[in-house]
Amino acid sequence: MSLKPKKHMVLTTFMLPAGYHKDSWRMEGSRSGELANLDFVADLTVMAEKAKLDAVFFGDIVHANTVMRGDIKMNGFYEPMTVLAALAART
């Protein structure tokens, strides 16, 4: 008799460290001054892990158009492969 694998839903979050609303970084307590720091992204990743999420994802952006338009939520602060490797050591 073969054992059937248990069904498991994989939950992932697409992280936008500046928030999902264009101006959410302006809210009191937003930690917007920490946006380009690895410790900030590590904190968000640990929060996702504690919430039982299986993975985090954030894409890179190879241009500055969004920052030039004043849209802080889509930024090029993080290079995914290096940052994800650093986060793997903390989770």
Side-chain angles (χ1 to χ4, degrees):
M1 181 170 132
S2 73
L3 296 174
K4 288 185 176 181
K6 291 183 179 180
K7 291 184 179 185
H8 175 79
M9 181 185 296
V10 176
L11 300 174
T12 303
T13 184
F14 178 52
M15 288 198 330
L16 289 177
Y20 283 84
H21 186 275
K22 181 180 170 185
D23 292 323
S24 63
W25 65 275
R26 297 179 182 202
M27 292 180 65
E28 187 175 328
S30 72
R31 297 177 68 184
S32 62
E34 301 175 61
L35 278 177
N37 295 329
L38 179 62
D39 288 336
F40 177 62
V41 176
D43 288 349
L44 294 175
T45 304
V46 169
M47 283 188 246
E49 185 176 43
K50 286 181 181 177
K52 304 296 184 197
L53 296 176
D54 296 295
V56 296
F57 171 84
F58 55 93
D60 60 339
I61 296 176
V62 294
H63 57 78
N65 292 343
T66 54
V67 174
M68 291 169 59
R69 287 193 313 253
D71 186 358
I72 189 75
K73 77 176 183 176
M74 297 299 289
N75 59 66
F77 294 141
Y78 310 105
E79 188 281 312
M81 297 310 290
T82 305
V83 174
L84 290 173
L87 294 175
R90 297 183 184 207
T91 59

